[in-house]
Amino acid sequence: MADRALRGMQIGAKSMESEEGVIFADRATATYLCSNGHKFQIPFSTEANPPATWECKCGATAEIIGEEGEEEEQKPAKPVRTHWDMLRERRSLEELDVVLNEQLELLRSGRLRPEGAYRKN
């Protein structure tokens, strides 16, 4: 067994590759602040956009407070479109009233089963 061992190497030994000729990416530091008051910095590549939030070591969500002294621009948030908003884009209230009355008539006549009648208990 001793003849199969690599001489001069340890278990979990360091890599034999060198950093010669390797060009490291330029770095920028983003600063984050969590709700518990922890302030920390994370290095990113200058080509990357750092995220607006990062998980702090205490488990809280930290907000970015600067990127090498600059405040990150926040895009205006789009309002949430509900199902009703999308329906109103396609139909007027009069059309919706007609469709509702048609569906109620089908339900009352027994040609349309009520919600839940399709489920097995």
Side-chain angles (χ1 to χ4, degrees):
M1 187 145 154
D3 58 337
R4 292 186 182 182
L6 294 174
R7 293 181 187 254
M9 297 294 292
Q10 302 171 356
I11 295 178
K14 295 155 188 73
S15 172
M16 299 300 285
E17 291 184 25
S18 70
E19 296 178 0
E20 189 176 319
V22 175
I23 300 172
F24 294 102
D26 293 328
R27 300 281 178 196
T29 304
T31 305
Y32 291 88
L33 180 67
C34 83
S35 57
N36 295 331
H38 300 124
K39 186 175 180 180
F40 56 94
Q41 296 180 335
I42 305 289
F44 291 97
S45 170
T46 54
E47 297 173 359
N49 294 327
T53 60
W54 194 271
E55 186 177 347
C56 181
K57 63 184 176 187
C58 68
T61 301
E63 303 276 333
I64 191 166
I65 59 171
E67 185 181 335
E68 290 190 353
E70 298 176 10
E71 285 294 320
E72 185 176 285
E73 288 185 27
Q74 297 274 336
K75 293 182 181 178
K78 289 184 176 181
V80 177
R81 286 177 50 203
T82 63
H83 179 71
W84 178 250
D85 294 332
M86 291 183 271
L87 192 60
R88 289 284 291 132
E89 290 173 4
R90 295 190 307 268
R91 298 187 184 218
S92 67
L93 286 174
E94 293 79 25
E95 290 174 320
L96 290 172
D97 194 36
V98 169
V99 171
L100 175 63
N101 289 327
E102 288 174 359
Q103 292 297 310
L104 286 173
E105 185 59 38
L106 287 171
L107 182 62
R108 290 180 185 133
S109 68
R111 290 183 284 169
L112 182 70
R113 291 189 278 181
E115 175 79 28
Y118 301 100
R119 297 183 194 145
K120 292 181 180 179
N121 291 333

